[in-house]
Amino acid sequence: EAACGPQSGLVADSLALLATAQQHTTAWDGPTTGPKASPGKLVVYVAQDMRNGGVLGVSQGVQSAAAAIGWKLKIIDGVGTVAGRVSAINQAVALKPDGIVLGSVDAQEEAAAIRAAAQQGIKIVGWHSAAAAGPVQDPPIFTNVTTEAVNVAKVAAAYALQTTNCTAGAVIFWQSGDAIGIKKAEMMRDVIKACGTCKVLDYVNTPLADTAARMPQNTTSLLQRFGAGWTVGLGINDLYFDFAAPALRTAGVASSGPPRFISAGDGSVAAFDRVRSGSYQIGTVAEPLHEAGWQLIDELNRALAGQPPSGYVAPVHLVTKDNIQFDGGPKNIYDPDNNYERHYKAVWGSTAR
């Protein structure tokens, strides 16, 4: 970032976050104290859609953590529809579990069903159920586990600055009706605008559900409009680039770009492949999906023991070609090398397997 010159305010703040986000994660900065394992509980994981890589990855973490703490787990798939999610929560409540884990199920959309579950004394935790980490008052969610969306966006945008020496010509891809996504997109736009020598060329609202149909045409038309002036594509999700990359290839753009893509979430398998092979995408801010699953089980154990949530928020991590050999990268997932399983088992005590 030396070529960017001295920076202040938002740009300096974002570049500082980026420096930390690019490091190999070895130190555990999560909880080291908490209640011992409550034995023999039943937990239900209600998935927004098990086809979604993030939702699936968290479910795998929840599964291994539930086995370690000695709990029974049932997974119910909301199959990506509102009706499916309502039915999944109702089925979960009917099982009379001790706890429910919401996997990317929006708290406000499902407020009535969540309130009904809470009224029966079921403890509820969420992953990506609200825009911010921590407790949700209404509907009552003991705690919501997520990285800080604003910091994810700052890191992605800062990497656009760093890799273009603060000359980014950026196009930002986002979708309406998605609180977390909008927050990320607006922050990326703010960082690019705060860099005086950068430009936001376009701010493109494309629903993630329509990427297959829309992104090839979007990409071709942006190339025609901006040519080599389009140096960076920033997206709220890797999915945009699944369909933009082939369109660039068809248009004869070299895999090293420009443009080059950076995603502000969540680190899909395809994104890891592109980053590793240097194929258009140079970075993805990946969520620690398995670790989040362990945190969700730990938070439920705190709720069942009548203790407050841990307050832990996992730090933001950017996967690039320079660090992809660490932290689960070879397996196409961000899984920090910080021994989180061992630390959580130590908190839960001797009953933990």
Side-chain angles (χ1 to χ4, degrees), residues 155-225:
V155 163
Y159 196 50
L161 269 47
Q162 189 187 63
T163 52
T164 61
N165 293 326
C166 287
T167 60
V171 174
I172 298 168
F173 300 97
W174 63 288
Q175 64 173 354
S176 49
D178 161 11
I180 298 178
I182 290 166
K183 215 165 150 180
K184 289 199 285 196
E186 288 175 344
M187 180 50 74
M188 289 193 285
R189 183 174 63 184
D190 290 349
V191 173
I192 301 291
K193 281 185 168 168
C195 157
T197 45
C198 303
K199 272 204 238 22
V200 177
L201 299 176
D202 205 351
Y203 194 65
V204 182
N205 180 0
T206 296
L208 286 168
D210 295 347
T211 46
R214 294 200 195 181
M215 280 306 288
Q217 180 52 50
N218 271 350
T219 307
T220 312
S221 115
L222 289 161
L223 278 175
Q224 283 162 352
R225 284 166 59 202

Side-chain angles (χ1 to χ4, degrees), residues 4 15 69 99 113 117 135 144 201 203-204 285:
C4 288
L15 288 167
I69 203 170
N144 177 54
L201 299 176
Y203 194 65
V204 182
V285 182

Side-chain angles (χ1 to χ4, degrees), residues 93-182:
V93 171
L95 292 170
K96 299 201 177 353
D98 300 284
I100 291 174
V101 178
L102 301 172
S104 204
V105 172
D106 187 276
Q108 297 314 318
E109 180 196 274
E110 302 305 335
I114 294 167
R115 277 186 213 116
Q119 270 152 12
Q120 302 201 19
I122 300 168
K123 304 293 183 196
I124 300 147
V125 294
W127 177 76
H128 286 202
S129 293
V136 179
Q137 298 312 311
D138 183 43
I141 291 176
F142 177 71
T143 195
N144 177 54
V145 172
T146 179
T147 47
E148 290 294 353
V150 163
N151 289 350
V152 168
K154 284 180 181 174
V155 163
Y159 196 50
L161 269 47
Q162 189 187 63
T163 52
T164 61
N165 293 326
C166 287
T167 60
V171 174
I172 298 168
F173 300 97
W174 63 288
Q175 64 173 354
S176 49
D178 161 11
I180 298 178
I182 290 166

Side-chain angles (χ1 to χ4, degrees), residues 272-332:
F272 271 79
D273 276 338
R274 285 190 293 269
V275 169
R276 186 182 296 105
S277 63
S279 179
Y280 303 107
Q281 187 166 353
I282 57 170
T284 180
V285 182
E287 289 263 339
L289 303 171
H290 291 178
E291 183 188 281
W294 281 69
Q295 183 181 347
L296 289 158
I297 292 295
D298 180 65
E299 301 291 7
L300 267 186
N301 191 51
R302 290 168 196 271
L304 292 166
Q307 295 200 11
S310 74
Y312 181 59
V313 180
V316 176
H317 182 73
L318 175 74
V319 177
T320 68
K321 209 167 177 178
D322 295 328
N323 64 18
I324 199 165
Q325 70 272 36
F326 304 118
D327 297 311
K331 291 190 288 215
N332 290 331

